[in-house]
Amino acid sequence: MRRCRTLTLALACAVSASLLACSSEPPQRRPDEPLPQEFAARGYSSVEQAAVSHTSHPWVVAGQTITVNLDMPERGDRLPLVIYVPGLGEASDAGDAWRSAWAGAGYAVMSVQPLLEDATAWSSDLARDGDFVKLGKQRHAPAVMADRLRRLDQVLGEARRRTSAGEAPWQRVAWDRVAIAGFGLGAYTAMAVAGERISSADQPLTTVSVRAAIALSPYVSFSQGSLDTRYKGIRLPTLSVTSDADRDVLGQADGPLLRAAAFSHLQGNDKYLLSLRSLPHAAFSGSAHAAGPQPEREAGLPARPFSWLAPADPSAQRRGGRQGPVGDGGQLAIMERERWVGIQPLTATGLELGRIAIQHVSTAFLDAYLKDDALAREWLVMNAQRWMGRSGELRHR
């Protein structure tokens, strides 16, 4: 008999508390939006639901103090591990909405920002000068990614050493079932670990082998080479998560459509794309207060929605030239404009529904590929889209 998989109200409130406080009065919502509690109750729930413990570990790695956070259920051994890499300007304790959901479902979740310069980006000289485009280019550079992967490898080596030494709580981690996940710059890191081809940063991790990857607001840019070649090395099960309003205010990614387009260039099976309706970029951080130079970040539309898409030469749109920042002949800029016009402002309920959808789909994905749960895979393929309704679309192959 098929097991019933419904998420408890307690988990729904817990994972949304860092984003929208649970209150006695329901948040504003449209007539076609379900109540978040009802939406969560009809979704996916891992068989395991547990109270979560959190510990913080300041380690000295390669002469630098790095804080590593570990969330895990209070009981259980040989726990599958999810390595979470936060976004630009975020510390190791970011992404609490995702970490708490995964830990409650039976995973050890290790969260780390490998480079201090990534964590302190918004207090850097470039940020104080307001040169966020240059800051973004600097932190996304291939040579910096190579440093980031090297440092992450060193941190993972230290964590494995502590597991081998039987040190609590690390002795409970199972290093043969590992996934990597990240947001923004962290998603770029996760895809690099999974096999994305990046010049100067194409060496894999030496300390651990990952079995699956989750990219929350993936970084995709024509400046890093052809999409036809850069994703050929990704053979792992992969979940990409974005929206039609997933706009990069740093100008490093070429728009919401391109974030989704990467899915079609991934090779092989077990690839998923979750595209949500109107969810802003900051919501993918899973943090109560996403950092960054974006005062409009919780709005459904950017303050200047189209200026960043305009080609340097306006006639390039008509000619199909390659002079604009979009870099695809101008047609993508036109398509993006049309998409932005159609985006509806997001209600508080809509934001919460998007966050719940990410929690449920990502947990089912982890269950399917780290726990080899056939029912989780069946839910992703057969039930997830029907459950989400108009809140989003889940594509797979």
Side-chain angles (χ1 to χ4, degrees):
M1 179 180 291
R2 179 178 175 79
R3 285 177 286 177
C4 179
R5 294 176 174 268
T6 57
L7 192 63
T8 64
L9 175 59
L11 177 59
C13 284
V15 293
S16 62
S18 63
L19 313 165
L20 294 169
C22 291
S23 63
S24 58
E25 297 184 6
Q28 178 186 2
R29 64 189 180 96
R30 294 193 181 93
D32 62 338
E33 290 177 332
L35 288 171
Q37 296 92 333
E38 296 174 352
F39 182 65
R42 294 195 300 268
Y44 176 85
S45 175
S46 176
V47 173
E48 302 176 62
Q49 292 296 332
V52 173
S53 65
H54 172 85
T55 54
S56 183
H57 308 265
W59 295 343
V60 176
V61 178
Q64 185 179 64
T65 300
I66 298 178
T67 299
V68 178
N69 287 274
L70 185 64
D71 297 89
M72 56 174 51
E74 292 183 350
R75 297 182 180 180
D77 293 312
R78 287 199 47 79
L79 300 172
L81 176 67
V82 182
I83 303 162
Y84 181 76
V85 184
L88 186 64
E90 293 187 321
S92 295
D93 60 353
D96 46 289
W98 320 140
R99 293 187 291 109
S100 61
W102 299 335
Y107 294 90
V109 185
M110 173 184 175
S111 178
V112 59
Q113 184 63 278
L115 296 180
L116 178 63
E117 295 83 358
D118 291 338
T120 60
W122 306 136
S123 60
S124 66
D125 290 341
L126 287 174
R128 284 194 292 267
D129 291 341
D131 197 346
F132 297 112
V133 172
K134 186 174 181 180
L135 174 63
K137 288 182 179 179
Q138 179 191 86
R139 303 318 304 164
H140 286 79
V144 176
M145 177 57 77
D147 292 340
R148 188 176 295 113
L149 292 175
R150 190 177 304 111
R151 184 59 50 81
L152 177 60
D153 207 22
Q154 292 168 340
V155 172
L156 292 172
E158 176 63 16
R160 293 206 69 165
R161 184 190 69 78
R162 292 171 183 260
T163 298
S164 298
E167 181 178 320
W170 297 94
Q171 85 282 10
R172 300 171 59 200
V173 174
W175 289 93
D176 58 339
R177 293 183 293 166
V178 180
I180 188 161
F183 158 66
L185 183 62
Y188 189 28
T189 306
M191 294 295 274
V193 170
E196 180 176 347
R197 182 176 299 173
I198 302 172
S199 59
S200 304
D202 55 358
Q203 62 270 38
L205 298 179
T206 62
T207 56
V208 65
S209 177
V210 299
R211 292 175 53 175
I214 299 175
L216 298 157
S217 187
Y219 168 74
V220 182
S221 174
F222 287 118
S223 65
Q224 295 297 328
S226 170
L227 302 186
D228 290 332
T229 59
R230 65 185 294 179
Y231 297 112
K232 283 187 175 180
I234 300 180
R235 301 294 178 176
L236 304 174
T238 305
L239 170 64
S240 301
V241 186
T242 186
S243 79
D244 53 4
D246 190 2
R247 171 180 176 263
D248 176 18
V249 297
L250 293 178
Q252 299 306 299
D254 291 328
L257 286 179
L258 191 55
R259 293 189 197 275
F263 166 77
S264 62
H265 292 270
L266 294 173
Q267 305 293 311
N269 298 321
D270 300 318
K271 305 298 190 295
Y272 298 82
L273 171 65
L274 174 60
S275 183
L276 297 162
R277 185 180 67 174
S278 304
L279 205 64
H281 176 71
F284 295 96
S285 73
S287 301
H289 303 288
Q294 37 189 344
E296 77 281 12
R297 61 181 174 264
E298 292 301 339
L301 288 172
R304 295 180 295 168
F306 306 136
S307 60
W308 66 290
L309 289 168
D313 177 1
S315 64
Q317 282 186 4
R318 297 188 297 272
R319 299 195 312 267
R322 299 183 59 84
Q323 302 182 33
V326 171
D328 75 327
Q331 184 60 36
L332 184 57
I334 298 172
M335 294 171 65
E336 287 283 51
R337 282 180 166 87
E338 294 172 349
R339 294 278 293 210
W340 278 111
V341 169
I343 294 174
Q344 295 180 326
L346 198 66
T347 65
T349 299
L351 176 61
E352 191 171 358
L353 295 178
R355 302 287 176 84
I356 292 172
I358 294 173
Q359 291 154 358
H360 286 232
V361 172
S362 62
T363 299
F365 175 80
L366 292 172
D367 282 359
Y369 295 102
L370 286 195
K371 297 181 180 178
D372 298 318
D373 189 328
L375 289 178
R377 199 169 308 186
E378 180 183 340
W379 185 88
L380 287 169
V381 174
M382 303 296 295
N383 298 336
Q385 183 60 68
R386 182 173 57 218
W387 165 66
M388 284 190 297
R390 296 182 58 191
S391 297
E393 177 187 14
L394 182 63
R395 297 167 58 190
H396 64 89
R397 67 169 185 273

